[in-house]
Amino acid sequence: MSGCFISCSNSDQAISNHFVEVHEMVPIGSGAKRKLPDVRLSRYACYLVVQNGDPIKPVIANGQTYFALQTRRQELADDQAFKQLKEDEKRLLLREEMKEHNKQLVDAAADAGVTSNMDFAIFQNHGYRGLYGGLDAKDIHQRKGLKKSHKILDFMGSTELAANLFRATQTEEKLRRDQVQGKTQANQTHHQVGAKVRQTIDELGGTMPENLPTPETSVKQLEKQKNKISKAVDDQE
């Protein structure tokens, strides 16, 4: 038991919090009872006893196996939570980037002659058709099972958002670099870039964007959760 006390103490844990001395009345025959000293262990204390015990004893060996399995389960759970956190962070970042580059794409398209809202909707659909193998915004919306009020970009994972961000940035640059003029040529340019991004994904052995999973949580919901957490932290400071 001394090894357990040393481990507990060196971990800055109070021994009295984990190894509590108690006295229990134990029957000794003929209805009589005698008070015997005992120790009540916390879960942490049980762990220390098992880890410092002799594995030749079955109860110690079973205990070590139990704690090893529980530790691994927690590691796996933490790993999944970490992966999900990283995915949510990437989605928030890429969606924000997409907003900014879509504004720049609108300006570049306007310089090429895409001026009205209807013109730009048609222009956008040419880009989507190139990237999504012929599917336009309405088709993608339906494929994802979204409500009418939902925005497609809010229900994309980081991989799909990254593909669309590349489509948007490269189309903007090509429109300006080639000094594209006229709605028809602008639409063709957007479709060509989208198709080229799709071809690259295929050559790399990636999943086509229309086949990528749709996140259950929208970017807007992630933003609300993030703002809520930030507010709670600010209130505590």
Side-chain angles (χ1 to χ4, degrees), residues 25-29 32-34:
M25 301 301 294
V26 179
I28 57 175
K33 291 184 178 181
R34 185 173 65 187

Side-chain angles (χ1 to χ4, degrees), residues 21-29 31-40:
E21 291 188 12
V22 295
H23 291 83
E24 295 184 354
M25 301 301 294
V26 179
I28 57 175
K33 291 184 178 181
R34 185 173 65 187
K35 185 184 291 185
L36 290 178
D38 201 352
V39 178
R40 186 165 294 164

Side-chain angles (χ1 to χ4, degrees), residues 71-201:
T71 300
R72 183 55 183 156
R73 283 183 185 139
Q74 188 59 53
E75 286 173 349
L76 291 172
D78 290 345
D79 187 48
Q80 283 299 113
F82 180 72
K83 286 180 180 178
Q84 185 57 48
L85 176 62
K86 297 297 289 184
E87 168 64 10
D88 290 345
E89 288 175 346
K90 285 190 286 187
R91 286 180 65 203
L92 285 167
L93 177 63
L94 288 167
R95 183 65 179 98
E96 195 60 36
E97 286 286 310
M98 196 73 212
K99 288 178 184 177
E100 292 303 314
H101 284 287
N102 261 343
K103 292 176 185 176
Q104 297 174 30
L105 182 59
V106 168
D107 291 339
D111 291 341
V114 180
T115 54
S116 69
N117 289 337
M118 180 60 72
D119 288 343
F120 189 73
I122 294 171
F123 170 78
Q124 280 287 67
N125 270 336
H126 275 76
Y128 279 133
R129 287 194 186 101
L131 179 57
Y132 286 81
L135 302 179
D136 62 13
K138 185 178 180 181
D139 296 328
I140 300 168
H141 199 278
Q142 291 177 343
R143 191 180 181 93
K144 287 179 175 292
L146 305 181
K147 296 179 180 179
K148 191 174 181 180
S149 59
H150 289 158
K151 293 182 178 180
I152 296 172
L153 292 168
D154 286 342
F155 286 87
M156 290 183 182
S158 62
T159 300
E160 191 175 357
L161 277 169
N164 278 277
L165 180 60
F166 191 55
R167 165 188 58 78
T169 57
Q170 295 308 302
T171 300
E172 179 211 342
E173 288 189 15
K174 188 169 178 60
L175 288 174
R176 297 192 188 282
R177 183 176 62 250
D178 295 353
Q179 297 181 345
V180 172
Q181 289 298 314
K183 290 183 285 188
T184 300
Q185 193 175 353
N187 291 340
Q188 290 175 349
T189 298
H190 202 180
H191 185 277
Q192 288 169 3
V193 173
K196 190 64 177 178
V197 175
R198 182 180 182 84
Q199 179 185 340
T200 301
I201 293 172

Side-chain angles (χ1 to χ4, degrees), residues 207-220:
T207 302
M208 291 299 108
E210 67 272 15
N211 295 325
L212 289 168
T214 299
E216 294 182 4
T217 306
S218 73
V219 171
K220 285 190 178 297

Side-chain angles (χ1 to χ4, degrees), residues 52-67:
N52 284 279
D54 185 354
I56 293 178
K57 298 177 180 178
V59 65
I60 296 297
N62 289 335
Q64 289 178 350
T65 300
Y66 169 78
F67 280 112

Side-chain angles (χ1 to χ4, degrees), residues 216-229:
E216 294 182 4
T217 306
S218 73
V219 171
K220 285 190 178 297
Q221 289 174 304
L222 293 178
E223 288 174 343
K224 288 181 180 178
Q225 292 173 6
K226 183 179 179 181
N227 292 335
K228 188 176 180 180
I229 293 172

